[in-house]
Amino acid sequence: MHRRRRTVLSVSAVLAVASPLLAACGSQAHPGAAAVVGKERITVAAVQAQVRDVRAAQKKSPQAAEMIKSSNNLTGMKLGNMIFDRVLARAAKDAGATISRKEVQDARAQLVQQAGSEARLQQVYLEQNGVAPGQIDQALQEQVTANKLARALGADLGNAAGQAAVLQAMTKASKALGVDVNPRYGVWDARKSQLGPYKAPWITQVTQQQSASAGA
């Protein structure tokens, strides 16, 4: 588990492992769609393209076999992350939090400095988070958005209370948007902001605490 609040290098979705690509048939209501978030369709082709980019990058690494073996649900992870990004963006918009391109660029420059080089940064994202080089900016935008949303809510993403506040805002956004997932991929859980087994690393502690409280 890679928790964003502990290291800025581990800010994207948790690495899952690549299952065979699903056929591009979609649901009956939305042919060719892996999911529909609000009025936006996330096509099966778009999900497959992200998976292909990761696989191509992994195959160039000396650790290719290990990375591929340890990512047998890459398709589900990528779709879950794509839905997550859209719900997060809606929650940020509702809270009045705006994100600029420069903020993402500054975040990347900081990470490159921390990693030591752009090549090392790309390696870390690929090995630890299943993120291809061309997907890093989107992963960084997610982190910047989550942090700004937390601040807009008067919270701190670095602690459980702040994470819970963001998760609550995302739950509200999920319900407002409506998330319709192709049954082949699973079901979106609005309360946990996750698709099937996919879960953003930083919300793991929150959901575990919620389960413990319910049990008590």
Side-chain angles (χ1 to χ4, degrees):
M1 193 62 62
H2 310 287
R3 295 179 180 174
R4 294 183 176 137
R5 63 181 184 277
R6 290 189 176 179
T7 170
V8 337
L9 286 179
S10 298
V11 297
S12 187
V14 66
L15 180 61
V17 200
S19 60
L21 296 178
L22 299 178
C25 61
S27 64
Q28 290 184 353
H30 306 288
V36 178
V37 182
K39 296 181 179 179
E40 183 179 0
R41 297 171 76 254
I42 299 176
T43 66
V44 172
V47 178
Q48 291 177 339
Q50 289 218 358
V51 171
R52 283 196 300 270
D53 287 347
V54 173
R55 286 291 180 240
Q58 287 176 333
K59 289 177 181 178
K60 295 178 182 178
S61 170
Q63 291 78 40
E66 181 180 348
M67 284 191 288
I68 292 173
K69 183 179 179 180
S70 66
S71 58
N72 64 3
N73 189 29
L74 188 57
T75 299
M77 186 271 274
K78 286 300 177 184
L79 175 58
N81 204 41
M82 292 169 81
I83 296 171
F84 186 94
D85 285 349
R86 287 155 178 78
V87 173
L88 178 61
R90 171 60 183 267
K93 180 180 179 181
D94 290 346
T98 58
I99 296 88
S100 69
R101 175 63 182 165
K102 185 177 185 304
E103 288 175 300
V104 176
Q105 292 173 335
D106 288 347
R108 183 160 187 159
Q110 181 181 0
L111 289 182
V112 169
Q113 183 177 18
Q114 179 180 348
S117 68
E118 174 67 27
R120 175 56 183 161
L121 177 67
Q122 292 181 8
Q123 180 183 4
V124 169
Y125 265 83
L126 181 63
E127 292 180 355
Q128 296 186 7
N129 303 312
V131 174
Q135 299 168 359
I136 292 177
D137 278 357
Q138 182 57 47
L140 281 174
Q141 179 161 330
E142 179 185 312
Q143 172 65 15
V144 172
T145 301
N147 282 324
K148 293 200 73 173
L149 171 57
R151 290 197 294 270
L153 297 171
D156 181 358
L157 196 60
N159 58 53
Q163 294 166 15
V166 170
L167 186 59
Q168 184 176 20
M170 290 188 63
T171 297
K172 183 178 178 181
S174 282
K175 293 178 179 178
L177 282 169
V179 180
D180 179 15
V181 179
N182 184 323
R184 288 175 174 265
Y185 293 85
V187 177
W188 181 255
D189 186 331
R191 186 177 64 84
K192 296 181 179 180
S193 289
Q194 69 180 65
L195 173 66
Y198 167 75
K199 184 182 297 183
W202 64 268
I203 69 173
T204 302
Q205 180 178 351
V206 176
T207 54
Q208 287 176 341
Q209 290 174 343
Q210 289 173 339
S211 298
S213 297

